[in-house]
């Protein structure tokens, strides 16, 4: 039986073991998957200990996604672009770092919500690690435009500069929340505002008719951002689908099979 885990601190809340156990049953893969609490001052030691125990791969969550970049001996293009690693593959060639967050978000939008990104106007709120990880996968779907809005405009501008070279030339732009102009087909909240029950200071006019509003956070009830979006006619998605889809992407990296996600997503939703 091959062993996998998720590293974090704290980690008790993680739904990853439940998700991967369901994928293993569905695809007939003989694996175990556990939560591992890594010490804040020795993430690398915790990973090496797991490898020594025969671990084949791991997911990485808060607060170790940046440390995982340093630990990896090779990075995929999307991990390098994100500047963060959430999936580790332990191979004969060493530790490979990948980032499946953006692919998970895009899969949730395109497959689960049934909303194409190609040719659409996309608004990303925030410019932190969560947003950085999704820019390249969104650009790969060729949106008409991608605007990154942030309280500190300089941070958003840094992202624009970085991603202009990766297919975003003339497509990606940055602005402050107050400077957002026009309407958008897809509005993604990647700020931490939902944690403190706040809505990013955006005008209700950003929601085009029939727009999709997605919050990377999730809970039993819609976040305040999603409540705000609902008042202005948007269709809503929270971050649970992204969680399930990024796990499917990681599972495929490790096992070479892509699990079906719909039943796992609805099962998790029912337990919120």
């Amino acid at each position: 039986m091959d062993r996998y885990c998720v590293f974090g601190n704290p980690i008790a809340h993680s739904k990853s073991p439940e998700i991967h156990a369901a994928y293993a049953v569905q695809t007939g893969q003989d694996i175990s998957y556990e939560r591992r609490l890594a010490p804040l001052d020795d993430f690398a030691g915790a990973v090496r200990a797991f490898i020594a125990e025969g671990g084949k791969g791991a997911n990485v969550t808060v607060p170790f996604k940046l440390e995982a970049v340093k630990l990896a001996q090779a990075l995929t293009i999307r991990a390098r672009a994100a500047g963060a690693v959430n999936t580790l593959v332990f191979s004969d060639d060493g530790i490979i770092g990948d980032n499946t967050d953006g692919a998970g978000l895009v899969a949730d939008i395109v497959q689960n919500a049934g909303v194409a990104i190609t040719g659409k106007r996309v608004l990303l709120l925030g410019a932190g690690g969560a947003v950085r990880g999704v820019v390249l996968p969104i650009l790969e779907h060729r949106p008409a435009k991608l605007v990154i809005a942030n309280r500190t405009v300089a941070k958003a501008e840094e992202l624009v500069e970085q991603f202009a070279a990766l297919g975003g030339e003339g497509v990606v732009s940055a602005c402050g929340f107050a400077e957002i102009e026009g309407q958008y087909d897809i509005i993604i909240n990647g700020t931490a505002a939902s944690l403190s029950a706040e809505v990013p200071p955006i005008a209700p006019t950003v929601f085009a008719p029939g727009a999709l509003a997605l919050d990377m956070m999730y809970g039993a009830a819609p976040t305040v951002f999603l409540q705000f979006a609902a008042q202005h006619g948007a269709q809503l998605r929270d971050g649970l689908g992204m969680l399930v889809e990024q796990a499917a992407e990681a599972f495929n990296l490790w096992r070479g099979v892509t699990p079906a996600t719909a039943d796992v997503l609805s099962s998790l939703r029912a337990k919120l």
Side-chain angles (χ1 to χ4, degrees):
M1 181 181 287
D2 288 341
R3 295 179 60 189
Y4 300 89
C5 75
V6 56
F7 288 105
N9 190 332
I11 197 60
H13 65 285
S14 174
K15 298 189 185 325
S16 292
E18 188 181 340
I19 296 170
H20 284 277
Y23 290 163
V25 169
Q26 180 202 119
T27 58
Q29 296 289 309
D30 187 20
I31 68 163
S32 69
Y33 188 108
E34 63 190 283
R35 297 178 187 89
R36 305 270 291 211
L37 182 72
L40 291 173
D41 59 354
D42 194 18
F43 168 70
V47 173
R48 291 197 179 99
F50 184 60
I51 294 172
E53 291 167 28
K56 297 286 185 189
N59 287 125
V60 181
T61 188
V62 176
F64 300 119
K65 290 185 181 185
L66 297 181
E67 283 192 56
V69 173
K70 296 178 199 157
L71 182 67
Q73 287 145 318
L75 295 172
T76 63
I77 290 169
R78 58 191 183 182
R80 204 172 295 131
V85 160
N86 80 332
T87 304
L88 295 170
V89 179
F90 308 138
S91 73
D92 295 340
D93 300 325
I95 302 172
I96 300 161
D98 201 348
N99 190 310
T100 65
D101 283 332
L105 176 85
V106 164
D108 188 52
I109 292 171
V110 175
Q111 291 160 31
N112 300 340
V115 174
I117 294 171
T118 307
K120 298 291 179 63
R121 298 156 297 177
V122 182
L123 175 62
L124 266 175
L125 305 174
V131 164
R132 189 171 165 164
V134 305
V135 176
L136 185 60
I138 288 172
L139 284 177
E140 285 170 345
H141 278 252
R142 302 187 314 285
K145 73 171 175 177
L146 174 61
V147 174
I148 303 172
N150 194 47
R151 205 178 296 275
T152 311
V153 182
K155 274 190 79 177
E157 285 171 342
E158 276 175 34
L159 285 189
V160 170
E161 209 169 290
Q162 179 191 341
F163 287 101
L166 291 168
E169 186 72 58
V171 176
V172 192
S173 59
C175 65
F177 290 132
E179 287 77 54
I180 299 169
E181 291 177 356
Q183 294 185 317
Y184 294 84
D185 306 298
I186 301 169
I187 301 96
I188 300 165
N189 183 23
T191 72
S194 294
L195 290 174
S196 47
E198 292 170 15
V199 178
I202 58 170
T205 49
V206 302
F207 300 100
L212 173 72
L214 186 148
D215 197 319
M216 290 189 189
M217 307 283 173
Y218 65 87
T223 65
V224 286
F225 167 75
L226 291 180
Q227 291 169 38
F228 172 70
Q231 288 162 11
H232 302 289
Q235 52 172 315
L236 313 179
R237 287 197 80 76
D238 65 10
L240 193 63
M242 177 182 177
L243 176 72
V244 169
E245 293 295 340
Q246 65 78 26
E249 184 81 6
F251 191 89
N252 182 40
L253 279 176
W254 296 327
R255 310 303 298 176
V257 287
T258 303
T261 56
D263 290 350
V264 178
L265 179 52
S266 55
S267 164
L268 281 181
R269 174 79 62 206
K271 294 173 187 167
L272 285 183

